[in-house]
Amino acid sequence: MNFSLRYYIEKLRKSWMIISLVIILSLPFLIGISLLFKSWPLLVSTPISEIIFSSNWMPTKGNFGLWPFIFSSIVVSLLGLLIMIPFTLASAIYITQFAPNWISKVLRTVIDILAGIPSVIFGLWGIIVIVPMVSEWATSANSANASGYSILAAGIVVAVTTLPFVLNMLIELFESVPRELKESTLAMGASHWQTIKDVILKKIRPGIIAAFTLGLSKAFGETIAVLMVVGNVVQIPDSIFAAGYPLPALLANNYGEMMSIPKYDSALMLSALMLLIIVILFNYFAHKVIRFYQSKM
Amino acid sequence: MNSRKYLVEKIVKIILLIFTIFIVFVLLSIFYGIFKKGLPALNWEIISQVPKGGYYFGKEGGILNAIVGSLYLAIGASLIALVISIPAAFFIHTYLFSYPKWQKRVRLWLDVLWGIPPIVYGAFAFNFMLFMGWPSSLLAAMITVALLISPVMIRSMDESLQHNSKGLFESALSLGFFKGEIGFKFLFKQSLPGITTAFLLALGKGLGDTASVLFTAGFTDYIPESITEPAATLPLAIFFQLSSPIPEVKERAYAAAIVLTIIILVISILSRVLSKRFSKNRIK
């Protein structure tokens, strides 16, 4: 009797566990299917290549060319990556290899705090600090858009929002390098920097690339902070001082009015679907590479 | 030759240090910028009152609706996430114990899930709400944010369990306990520090997330009285007030940003202190 009650409680527990895990694990599929279902009307009426590569964006006339948004997204995230790489790499090396213990602790706290800051605050900081700075540069470069709300400002802000995330992964990677490897290189007479440059960096290079890939896909999905500083003009930006309009910003700005124009919601949901697919692909392969290093620890 | 390689090392060290200091500088510049802009507008009235008539034209009132809305949302979402995450994390460590390959696959997929942008969750939730005919409400936003933070939560509990569960699990199993019992009776105590930090992490994420809430929470000038009502949140309050052309309203956006930053900082300090305290009675 006692045993059977215990048995039923266990059954209940087990199903609770399985159900919750299955809900979470199947989430990407559910999201994908629902977005595909919503974007189907547009996909049926227009060939996909035309939607992606056409720059003709006139929702009221039924023209949904997403290329300006896709292009802005790509440029902003690549620019962000480019700005982020030297900072994350340098400080990851410094924190794990050179810094005295207490400095390393302080720096890790700084990174933790930075990682907790919401993206809307980064966006505010972008408006207060970055946009005026970029505006000055744009004026001295005689650019057509001197407001500062630009691809460059978005790139800088996105670099900062993804920085703590990537930096934490890099620190973990550097710490996964076996101690013996470093010690034997040092014993051969190499300087500390030579060891880092010729041995450690070579050893974890694919891992570093994977970490940056994750950063890139995070930058690709960054919404509010970018939206606040990028200018939101539908165009193919011709310089880094020009305004852009990335995909997540398109989604966030227009969800309110999308029901009033036919197929508008399909176009927006298609852009969400593209974000989802790109991010999942990037993340899947990047995490596979990183796993490989973690398993060797 | 010998002295040259050490000279190079010295120069490199200085360059690395400069880059690193720049990151600290960025953090300080964020705090400095927001406090400088927001402090003049920050007063007791703003954090203790809901918006009154004409608030959005620079008249009286405050952002209490958004502060309370955000706290409700974050706490509710984190609790829902706990209900999903605790059993899921225990499942990985009990029933999947003898299937390391599956453990690995589940972890990989959870990490991939973590990277999905909040705006995509928001779009999905919006679709779902339209499909079911639900209006925007606090509950809808809670569920969306809960789904968004669950993968991180499961992973951080999972990480904290990874260090100690093996011997404990095997000995409890040999005493005749069911796997689920081991999870909820023994692993639960062991993973308390992990659960606490995961909860606080989720709380911070729930407070700060804007993109997923944009579609689901709606916005209101009142403090929500039930979870079926729409709710204002701090990030959205900042976002909306900032787009106002009136300088007084804009200044309040910065004041709201100070409030949000302080709440987030308190949570992050709390999580450090608590995780240290809890980790005392763990079996190593």
Side-chain angles (χ1 to χ4, degrees):
Chain A
M1 180 61 214
N2 193 14
F3 177 77
S4 71
L5 182 64
R6 247 186 80 202
Y7 183 73
Y8 285 118
I9 292 176
E10 175 67 16
K11 280 265 164 202
L12 213 68
R13 245 188 231 125
K14 189 178 174 184
S15 34
W16 178 22
M17 288 165 139
I18 290 178
I19 289 169
S20 32
L21 193 61
V22 166
I23 288 177
I24 293 301
L25 293 183
S26 60
L27 211 52
F29 302 105
L30 293 177
I31 296 177
I33 290 167
S34 108
L35 294 178
L36 186 65
F37 178 72
K38 276 279 181 179
S39 48
W40 197 249
L42 184 66
L43 285 171
V44 171
S45 64
T46 328
I48 179 98
S49 60
E50 201 183 314
I51 304 171
I52 294 180
F53 293 112
S54 154
S55 330
N56 189 359
W57 176 257
M58 285 275 179
T60 44
K61 290 189 183 151
N63 295 328
F64 298 101
L66 288 173
W67 183 243
F69 308 101
I70 298 172
F71 185 74
S72 292
S73 268
I74 295 172
V75 175
V76 167
S77 20
L78 282 180
L79 195 61
L81 184 72
L82 219 64
I83 298 169
M84 177 192 66
I85 285 179
F87 290 100
T88 45
L89 208 52
S91 47
I93 294 174
Y94 184 77
I95 290 171
T96 54
Q97 310 294 331
F98 290 121
N101 223 341
W102 69 272
I103 292 184
S104 151
K105 261 185 195 160
V106 171
L107 288 173
R108 278 165 209 251
T109 314
V110 167
I111 299 165
D112 277 354
I113 293 173
L114 214 51
I117 291 180
S119 66
V120 74
I121 303 279
F122 284 120
L124 270 189
W125 172 71
I127 291 176
I128 302 170
V129 180
I130 300 300
V131 167
M133 202 168 80
V134 172
S135 166
E136 253 173 53
W137 295 341
T139 322
S140 60
N142 281 327
S143 170
N145 172 25
S147 69
Y149 289 92
S150 59
I151 297 278
L152 179 61
I156 295 174
V157 169
V158 117
V160 175
T161 57
T162 50
L163 187 141
F165 174 72
V166 174
L167 191 46
N168 268 329
M169 269 184 302
L170 286 183
I171 289 177
E172 244 177 64
L173 265 177
F174 274 101
E175 281 174 345
S176 77
V177 176
R179 213 189 156 79
E180 298 81 32
L181 195 70
K182 200 169 133 187
E183 278 169 357
S184 47
T185 319
L186 287 174
M188 298 289 281
S191 74
H192 204 151
W193 170 241
Q194 284 172 328
T195 311
I196 294 163
K197 187 180 59 161
D198 298 333
V199 178
I200 298 181
L201 278 180
K202 266 194 192 138
K203 175 117 180 119
I204 59 173
R205 189 156 60 195
I208 293 176
I209 293 170
F212 287 138
T213 312
L214 287 178
L216 187 67
S217 87
K218 192 137 186 132
F220 209 70
E222 180 58 62
T223 312
I224 295 297
V226 170
L227 163 72
M228 287 163 87
V229 296
V230 80
N232 300 325
V233 178
V234 186
Q235 63 179 20
I236 306 272
D238 52 357
S239 83
I240 50 171
F241 294 118
Y245 206 155
L247 277 175
L250 171 73
L251 264 169
N253 273 336
N254 297 302
Y255 77 101
E257 55 194 82
M258 71 182 185
M259 306 316 289
S260 49
I261 303 167
K263 286 191 196 158
Y264 199 178
D265 59 334
S266 296
L268 291 188
M269 291 309 154
L270 184 66
S271 57
L273 184 62
M274 285 195 295
L275 273 178
L276 178 75
I277 293 172
I278 293 170
V279 166
I280 286 187
L281 281 180
F282 272 33
N283 282 15
Y284 184 76
F285 290 109
H287 275 299
K288 276 229 133 163
V289 174
I290 289 186
R291 266 318 118 80
F292 175 73
Y293 285 95
Q294 282 172 342
S295 66
K296 285 206 295 193
M297 267 163 74
Chain B
M1 181 62 211
N2 230 4
S3 63
R4 208 181 123 213
K5 83 180 175 195
Y6 290 110
L7 184 69
V8 170
E9 177 161 325
K10 261 186 191 152
I11 294 169
V12 166
K13 237 177 166 174
I14 290 167
I15 295 171
L16 294 181
L17 185 64
I18 291 171
F19 273 107
T20 311
I21 285 175
F22 208 84
I23 293 178
V24 181
F25 175 73
V26 164
L27 182 72
L28 294 179
S29 134
I30 291 172
F31 285 150
Y32 177 75
I34 284 163
F35 275 85
K36 193 182 154 207
K37 283 265 189 176
L39 269 186
L42 187 68
N43 52 40
W44 184 243
E45 191 192 326
I46 275 203
I47 48 176
S48 64
Q49 288 182 13
V50 297
K52 293 193 176 133
Y55 172 75
Y56 295 104
F57 301 103
K59 297 239 179 71
E60 294 183 340
I63 49 159
L64 184 67
N65 61 330
I67 298 176
V68 175
S70 254
L71 287 176
Y72 280 171
L73 171 67
I75 293 171
S78 306
L79 288 177
I80 298 174
L82 272 186
V83 174
I84 304 173
S85 308
I86 292 180
F90 288 160
F91 189 80
I92 298 174
H93 280 272
T94 54
Y95 280 95
L96 287 183
F97 188 80
S98 0
Y99 307 95
K101 267 211 169 133
W102 279 101
Q103 282 186 327
K104 267 187 200 159
R105 279 181 199 145
V106 168
R107 282 185 191 127
L108 178 68
W109 194 236
L110 284 171
D111 282 346
V112 171
L113 261 179
W114 185 6
I116 296 179
I119 186 87
V120 173
Y121 278 93
F124 166 67
F126 187 65
N127 269 347
F128 188 72
M129 281 158 57
L130 277 179
F131 184 71
M132 303 294 278
W134 293 346
S136 52
S137 66
L138 189 55
L139 181 65
M142 276 180 190
I143 296 175
T144 314
V145 176
L147 291 178
L148 177 74
I149 53 190
S150 286
V152 201
M153 228 174 179
I154 299 174
R155 279 294 280 139
S156 78
M157 286 178 201
D158 171 46
E159 288 285 333
S160 78
L161 280 169
Q162 251 168 28
H163 300 294
N164 57 14
S165 66
K166 283 213 169 90
L168 186 72
F169 180 80
E170 275 160 359
S171 41
L173 202 62
S174 70
L175 287 172
F177 285 102
F178 286 132
K179 286 175 177 165
E181 282 177 327
I182 301 172
F184 283 93
K185 286 183 177 160
F186 302 118
L187 295 187
F188 185 75
K189 268 186 196 151
Q190 294 301 307
S191 64
L192 255 185
I195 290 175
T196 323
T197 45
F199 182 77
L200 290 168
L201 190 79
L203 213 57
K205 282 255 180 284
L207 274 169
D209 198 71
T210 330
S212 65
V213 178
L214 199 60
F215 296 96
T216 46
F219 200 85
T220 165
D221 282 352
Y222 304 101
I223 295 171
E225 277 164 3
S226 88
I227 50 174
T228 52
E229 287 177 25
T233 60
L234 265 178
L236 279 187
I238 297 169
F239 188 59
F240 289 149
Q241 291 182 53
L242 198 71
S243 51
S244 157
I246 301 160
E248 285 91 4
V249 181
K250 252 190 189 173
E251 247 177 36
R252 284 177 190 157
Y254 295 112
I258 295 184
V259 175
L260 180 59
T261 311
I262 290 177
I263 297 177
I264 298 269
L265 277 181
V266 167
I267 290 175
S268 105
I269 293 168
L270 210 63
S271 84
R272 275 164 180 276
V273 174
L274 283 182
S275 73
K276 257 185 204 151
R277 175 165 301 176
F278 273 127
S279 48
K280 271 183 198 159
N281 26 2
R282 280 176 71 173
I283 304 170
K284 283 274 152 62

